[in-house]
Amino acid sequence: MTLAKLFAKMKLSQKDAEVIFDRDEPVGKSTDLVMPWRPLFRRRKANASPKRTSQTHSLQS
Amino acid sequence: MTPAEIPLKAPSAAPVATSATEVTRSDVEQVERALIDASTRVPVLMFYTSAVAWLVIGTILAAYTSFKMHMPDLFGDVAFLTWGRVRPAHMNSMIYGWASMAGIGTAIWLMARLCRTTLRRPLLLVAGAAFWNVGVLVGLGGILAGHSTGHQWLEFPPYAAIILFVAYTLVVSWAVLMFQHRREGHIYITQWYLIGAFLWFPWLYGAAQIMMWVTPLQGVMQAAMAWWYANNIMFLWLGSIALGTAYYMIPKVIGRPVYSYHLAAIGFWTYALFSSWTGMQRLVDGPFPAWMVTASIAASILTIIPVATVGLNHHMTMRGNFGLMRYSPTLRFTIFGAIAYTVFSALGILLSLRSVASYTQFTQASVAYTHLGTYAFFTMTMFGAMYYIVPRLVGREWRNAGLIKLHFWSSAYGVGLMVLMLFVGGVMQGQDLNNTALPFTESTQTILAYLRGRSLSGMLLMIAHLIFAFHFGMMLFGLGRTATVPTFLNPQQDEAAQKSL
């Protein structure tokens, strides 16, 4: 391998950071969100927000 | 938790094939990934099962060691249960049994995924795991029988080290084969760390074994060699695997690429350059040439560069997504590990300074530092990886979110309390040891309360490990929760399984 080739390989692109993603797990989609969240101290009903588990689950369309 | 509480939907939003002959690229990728995961199943689960077994054994030995510190008469007349034998047995079962096996298991899976190729020669790995277990078993037996070498993390008698080396050769042969046959052209940053770890371990272990037992160094240089090895097995072997794992898990779970890939590359090379010089700073004020200790102190201080780059990169990648830690066990453990890496390195720099070392050298503060690295950083990251990988191998989801949370909080509070107790107690002990007017026995009285606190924290860790072992065992025996998404994308999943949810 020539030095020029070596340096060319060393020029990393930010695009390379995306090699771990694919069509099923693309950039922008979270995975592994498998735990429902239950706060220790529930808010009062008047202030209660909708159930968060389903809202934040990124694979929910 | 009932399965119905977990919101799940179809594996992919990608177009679905409308006929038997129409196959999308997405379908092919799904099948490929399922095949890759399936090919790693046996060896990775073998490494993981062995690791969990050693974790439980090591924890029991740790609890006994901890109690012996403030109850020295406990089984005092049984030779193999004396503190001088059980403590190295605990440390070696954790480093070579738990940490190394969990690390290799994780590395196998990550390499297969990142090389995008099915596992070749899985029997090499199975044989490697079997030999490694034999090596650790023989080594622990040797230590308990009184054949310890007396050097930290090198206590295994040479006959056990040979078995470990044979096992490692099998594992590394596989890694080279896998890397040669990779289908993905680009080498992701995680692979750099893993390949680095695979090369550094034989260098460290081989150099230490040769220079300690084959052509032994003379006098105090043995201590220098031993500390160089002990420090670097933490940084270059375990640390590399953990950092590589974090660079995969964090972006993957939150669905966002690493903030700066250039920064990641800088972090890797500076980590490799500076970490390998560290170790001798643990010998401040010892009978060594001053330049040796100073070089290691300088290298320790310079590790601030990889620490800053890695920390900044992880933080910026996570920015705006910290809330996801509530829902992902992998993210919780991995982020805890990543933060612990920063704290561990910062404490390492602090403890390497001569002015600080004069207080903390040869005290429990050094033990606190080791636990911060091996447990809070490495072990927590490995737990995170296992929570991600195991469901993809066994085709089931973790059974109970409550158990995962209990595991996390017991581990987090356990290691937090342990590090706090040992560090504060170590500084107090150091102050007493520096006070020439005070008898040595007074310093042991000072630290007694902190050692009891350490035993308490050890109980929390034991609870955490037993919960994890139980949960892992359930997964292994197919008692996990049936689910199709989102933790694994197995196209062969029965649709009925999802309907049952």
Side-chain angles (χ1 to χ4, degrees):
Chain A
M1 184 190 291
T2 63
L3 272 179
K5 274 186 182 174
L6 182 71
F7 285 129
K9 277 195 171 184
M10 284 172 71
K11 282 183 184 169
L12 303 165
S13 142
Q14 187 61 24
K15 197 77 185 160
D16 292 333
E18 293 178 15
V19 296
I20 59 170
F21 299 98
D22 52 32
R23 284 195 176 193
D24 270 311
E25 291 177 348
V27 173
K29 267 193 180 178
S30 314
T31 56
D32 199 56
L33 307 180
V34 291
M35 288 198 304
W37 183 55
R38 291 201 192 97
L40 270 179
F41 305 101
R42 290 195 181 278
R43 295 173 193 172
R44 282 178 300 175
K45 269 189 178 177
N47 296 333
S49 57
K51 207 174 180 183
R52 298 191 65 175
T53 47
S54 55
Q55 271 195 336
T56 51
H57 203 290
S58 63
L59 286 182
Q60 289 280 310
S61 55
Chain B
M1 181 185 70
T2 62
E5 288 176 78
I6 303 287
L8 300 169
K9 70 175 284 292
S12 171
V16 177
T18 52
S19 71
T21 52
E22 191 182 335
V23 179
T24 64
R25 191 179 156 193
S26 173
D27 295 332
V28 174
E29 280 181 354
Q30 270 198 348
V31 173
E32 273 182 357
R33 197 154 38 153
L35 285 173
I36 291 168
D37 284 354
S39 72
T40 60
R41 184 174 294 143
V42 174
V44 173
L45 284 178
M46 189 167 173
F47 272 99
Y48 275 176
T49 308
S50 311
V52 172
W54 287 120
L55 177 70
V56 173
I57 292 168
T59 308
I60 293 166
L61 292 171
Y64 179 77
T65 308
S66 183
F67 276 97
K68 281 286 275 184
M69 293 286 280
H70 49 88
M71 298 165 72
D73 294 333
L74 191 68
F75 298 113
D77 50 352
V78 184
F80 73 90
L81 289 178
T82 48
W83 192 83
R85 295 193 190 182
V86 178
R87 183 173 184 261
H90 147 63
M91 289 194 303
N92 283 270
S93 68
M94 285 302 198
I95 294 297
Y96 299 104
W98 153 250
S100 294
M101 294 202 85
I104 293 173
T106 304
I108 293 168
W109 189 85
L110 287 173
M111 282 291 272
R113 269 284 181 108
L114 290 167
C115 291
R116 289 187 196 261
T117 179
T118 50
L119 199 74
R120 287 159 192 267
R121 310 275 189 275
L123 272 181
L124 269 181
L125 285 170
V126 173
F131 267 104
W132 192 280
N133 275 320
V134 172
V136 177
L137 197 65
V138 170
L140 287 189
I143 290 172
L144 292 174
H147 302 154
S148 164
T149 65
H151 291 288
Q152 180 152 318
W153 295 1
L154 280 170
E155 285 97 341
F156 280 170
Y159 51 80
I162 293 168
I163 305 172
L164 277 187
F165 221 87
V166 171
Y168 189 78
T169 308
L170 293 171
V171 173
V172 85
S173 309
W174 161 85
V176 171
L177 273 175
M178 170 65 84
F179 195 67
Q180 259 190 336
H181 292 97
R182 70 186 184 278
R183 285 174 52 208
E184 177 64 46
H186 177 71
I187 303 168
Y188 185 62
I189 189 73
T190 297
Q191 286 167 295
W192 294 22
Y193 277 104
L194 296 181
I195 291 165
F198 278 130
L199 294 175
W200 287 322
F201 181 78
W203 171 50
L204 294 167
Y205 202 61
Q209 293 293 330
I210 290 168
M211 295 174 87
M212 297 295 267
W213 328 122
V214 182
T215 52
L217 291 166
Q218 299 300 309
V220 293
M221 292 317 290
Q222 284 194 356
M225 181 72 207
W227 274 113
W228 171 80
Y229 172 79
N231 210 66
N232 281 299
I233 207 75
M234 177 61 239
F235 275 99
L236 294 181
W237 172 234
L238 303 180
S240 294
I241 294 175
L243 286 178
T245 305
Y247 266 120
Y248 182 88
M249 293 299 168
I250 295 172
K252 193 75 176 166
V253 172
I254 65 173
R256 179 194 276 182
V258 169
Y259 170 70
S260 167
Y261 207 64
H262 291 275
L263 214 52
I266 293 167
F268 172 78
W269 290 111
T270 49
Y271 185 79
L273 181 66
F274 299 133
S275 298
S276 55
W277 280 77
T278 61
M280 253 61 96
Q281 79 277 11
R282 307 284 281 263
L283 298 166
V284 170
D285 291 340
F288 302 93
W291 70 265
M292 280 174 65
V293 177
T294 306
S296 272
I297 293 173
S300 289
I301 294 168
L302 285 169
T303 57
I304 196 78
I305 299 169
V307 173
T309 53
V310 170
L312 182 70
N313 225 355
H314 285 158
H315 179 80
M316 295 304 282
T317 308
M318 275 298 292
R319 198 169 60 160
N321 286 295
F322 283 99
L324 292 178
M325 285 167 68
R326 292 185 189 122
Y327 309 100
S328 169
T330 301
L331 207 56
R332 271 185 194 213
F333 281 96
T334 310
I335 292 296
F336 187 98
I339 294 170
Y341 166 64
T342 308
V343 179
F344 163 67
S345 302
L347 190 65
I349 293 167
L350 188 73
L351 293 182
S352 72
L353 303 176
R354 287 181 193 275
S355 51
V356 179
S358 64
Y359 274 101
T360 55
Q361 196 79 299
F362 313 121
T363 70
Q364 295 295 326
S366 176
V367 185
Y369 173 67
T370 306
H371 277 87
L372 200 56
T374 51
Y375 197 97
F377 166 40
F378 178 82
T379 295
M380 292 297 261
T381 309
M382 283 305 110
F383 282 144
M386 288 171 83
Y387 276 118
Y388 188 89
I389 295 168
V390 173
R392 289 161 170 81
L393 297 178
V394 300
R396 302 251 163 183
E397 187 46 74
W398 293 97
R399 184 85 207 171
N400 193 307
L403 286 181
I404 299 175
K405 288 175 186 172
L406 203 56
H407 173 209
F408 176 77
W409 289 115
S410 297
S411 299
Y413 278 112
V415 73
L417 186 65
M418 181 173 284
V419 169
L420 188 72
M421 285 291 153
L422 290 173
F423 187 72
V424 176
V427 172
M428 306 273 280
Q429 188 187 14
Q431 273 186 329
D432 282 1
L433 288 173
N434 276 308
N435 185 353
T436 49
L438 210 65
F440 177 75
T441 47
E442 287 293 319
S443 68
T444 59
Q445 288 297 320
T446 305
I447 200 165
L448 210 51
Y450 297 98
L451 293 176
R452 291 195 179 109
R454 180 231 176 123
S455 293
L456 181 71
S457 66
M459 289 295 104
L460 281 174
L461 292 182
M462 183 176 275
I463 290 168
H465 297 166
L466 291 176
I467 288 169
F468 180 64
F470 171 71
H471 215 179
F472 178 80
M474 285 178 85
M475 292 289 278
L476 213 56
F477 289 111
L479 298 173
R481 185 165 51 82
T482 309
T484 51
V485 285
T487 46
F488 55 92
L489 297 162
N490 185 349
Q492 293 168 355
Q493 280 282 320
D494 185 1
E495 282 301 311
Q498 193 176 359
K499 282 177 188 167
S500 73
L501 295 174

